[in-house]
Amino acid sequence: MSEFLLYIDPGSGSMILQVIAGGVLAAGLFVKTYWFKIKSFFTRNKEK
Amino acid sequence: MQKESSSFRDRSGFIFYEGDSVFRAILPGYKKSYDTFMASGLYQALADKKLLLSHKEISSSDLQPADVYKTLHVPRIPFISYPFEWCFTQLKEAALLTLEIQKTALEYGMSLKDASAFNVQFYNGAPVFIDTLSFEPYEEGKPWVAYRQFCNHFLAPLSLIAKVDPEFRKLSQLYIDGIPLNVASSALPYKTRFSPFYQMHIHYHAKMEMKYSADTEASSKVKLKLSKNKLIAIISHLESGIRSMSLPVNKTEWSDYYNEFSYSDESIAHKKSLVKEWATLVKPVNTWDLGCNTGMFSEIVQNISANVVSFDIDHLAIEKLYAYTKKKDSKNLLPLVMDLSNPSPAIGWANRERMSFTERAPADLILALALIHHISISNNVPFHDVAAYFSSITSSLIIEFVPKSDPQAQRLLVTREDIFHDYDKSSFEASFAKYFFIEKAENIQGTERVLYLMKKR
């Protein structure tokens, strides 16, 4: 095994990934909720 | 007091045994976290839902080792099993349990600092988290420290089993700290890169690990702030992704699988009644059914023995048996995938962290039904060695002798040269008689097979 592999600390990459993933997923949720709101606005209009 | 050898990595406490009882000692360094854990109500919430093994704080100082903050009395798990012995559904349930615990912990202002699959055991028919010392107070804005470990221990093997081959179950045995994400990433099919779930938690995750691994100042360069809502979004994403995973098995394979029996109804009924009668005579607490298939005989012994562990090499058979135990809500039958010709070894530091299959012996009763031809013909193990090994792992044995003339034994001989000249009833009996008293022997009606009840000498 190379010295490089023995001294790696994969922890920081994992932490940074969570920050990115959290952002992406939260943005996805935001879009989804608004999409449902828009959809329900129109379906509500139809029902009238 | 006997200290558990696998506890040495934990700086928060250790497990020890006193006779048949199991205790968990908490070291002073973990005092603050433990007190918060108990006071927050999280312990009660998890124990009430049976997600976490319950405990009792002991007050008597006789049992309390020196320099220990507190000692907990915990129930003894009848049989310790490991992730590489679980079928897909068991591993999946253990993963979902861990995520549910983390979600609950966050509600109570705590977080899991460990998400090791070895912290889950099967107890009373369901997975339960056993490590009371895995919790720490949650700090707002901090990412989940055990996220990577969760991916190594659960997500990587589940994905490899679901997307590549069920045999990848065994890979967890080679990597005690979980399957490295770069290994999982390179073994997964290319198409998984187009799935946001696999891309995010495995492929990109593996890439990020490598990218920042040599960069000691990485964490200070990036603003590491993750709101609680975002953290919950990640956990929910893992939850829904894992929930939708399934074994790669087509439906016909499932349904045709078990109709193939070499027995007539009459013979099965006779064999069942013998097993029931003899197991009742033995009065076992712990029974192992080796080569259980879908567990027809485990189900009988289940009503006689307090704990039954059923082993088979066939992943699908164990899946089916696990589904059955859940349907019946049976609490004392644990099905596990195991290749008896190459049972689980001892692994970890000094080979002392996880027990081998043999170290988890002895059982009070072993069932070895329709198994001997697989061991002695397919795997070339002489009767003498089988008898010697069985006598080292059990005190009573119900074993079926399958003669060479039997259609199932013939099937094994189709593709091999018949070098098994001493494979007959008399040498079978002679070999086993060296290690066991043969208490009963009876021909199974309508077959040439013989069933024996033996007691260790």
Side-chain angles (χ1 to χ4, degrees), chain A residues 4-5 7-27 29, chain B residues 143-145 147-148 200 204-205 208-210 212-214 219 222 224-226 230-231 233-234 237:
Chain A
F4 168 73
L5 275 175
Y7 285 93
I8 64 163
D9 167 28
S12 24
S14 194
M15 295 290 181
I16 297 163
L17 173 86
Q18 285 181 70
V19 177
I20 299 168
V24 172
L25 290 172
L29 275 179
Chain B
W144 184 22
V145 300
Y147 167 69
R148 186 176 146 254
M200 185 185 290
Y204 191 50
H205 194 174
M208 292 293 277
E209 275 188 352
M210 288 318 272
Y212 290 101
S213 57
S219 16
V222 188
L224 275 178
K225 267 261 182 264
L226 183 70
K230 285 179 182 173
L231 176 52
I234 295 176
H237 193 240

Side-chain angles (χ1 to χ4, degrees), chain B residues 440-453:
Chain B
K440 306 235 179 216
E442 201 158 327
N443 236 82
I444 299 169
Q445 282 166 20
T447 72
E448 290 175 64
R449 300 179 173 200
V450 189
L451 199 66
Y452 295 89
L453 170 66

Side-chain angles (χ1 to χ4, degrees), chain B residues 72-211:
Chain B
L72 313 177
H73 186 197
V74 290
R76 178 181 273 272
I77 308 275
F79 188 90
I80 299 289
S81 62
Y82 300 127
F84 43 84
E85 297 163 348
W86 300 339
C87 68
F88 178 78
T89 306
Q90 288 170 316
L91 182 60
K92 180 173 161 176
E93 286 181 0
L96 293 171
L97 169 87
T98 306
L99 293 174
E100 194 182 346
I101 289 175
Q102 171 64 354
K103 263 191 161 171
T104 316
L106 288 170
E107 284 170 27
Y108 286 84
M110 303 280 297
S111 178
L112 275 179
K113 64 184 169 82
D114 286 304
S116 158
F118 293 104
N119 281 342
V120 179
Q121 285 297 329
F122 282 82
Y123 181 59
N124 287 340
V128 64
F129 198 80
I130 58 163
D131 190 9
T132 323
L133 313 185
S134 280
F135 298 88
E136 63 181 7
Y138 169 68
E139 280 171 50
E140 186 71 45
K142 203 180 146 195
W144 184 22
V145 300
Y147 167 69
R148 186 176 146 254
Q149 195 182 27
F150 180 86
C151 293
N152 292 139
H153 276 256
F154 291 108
L155 194 57
L158 284 170
S159 313
L160 291 169
I161 293 170
K163 294 290 173 191
V164 192
D165 196 291
E167 283 295 293
F168 272 92
R169 164 185 65 79
K170 292 179 181 168
L171 200 58
S172 304
Q173 186 183 294
L174 299 180
Y175 296 103
I176 196 169
D177 287 329
I179 300 169
L181 293 178
N182 56 340
V183 172
S185 171
S186 54
L188 280 171
Y190 195 77
K191 63 174 189 226
T192 57
R193 288 172 192 271
F194 299 103
S195 142
F197 180 76
Y198 292 100
Q199 178 58 256
M200 185 185 290
H201 300 292
I202 294 189
H203 299 297
Y204 191 50
H205 194 174
K207 216 170 154 184
M208 292 293 277
E209 275 188 352
M210 288 318 272
K211 188 176 172 192

Side-chain angles (χ1 to χ4, degrees), chain B residues 288 290 357-358 361-364 366 388-395 456:
Chain B
W288 294 0
L290 307 183
F357 168 73
T358 309
D364 303 308
I366 279 184
Y389 180 60
F390 281 177
S391 75
S392 74
I393 58 172
T394 188
S395 42
K456 193 182 163 178

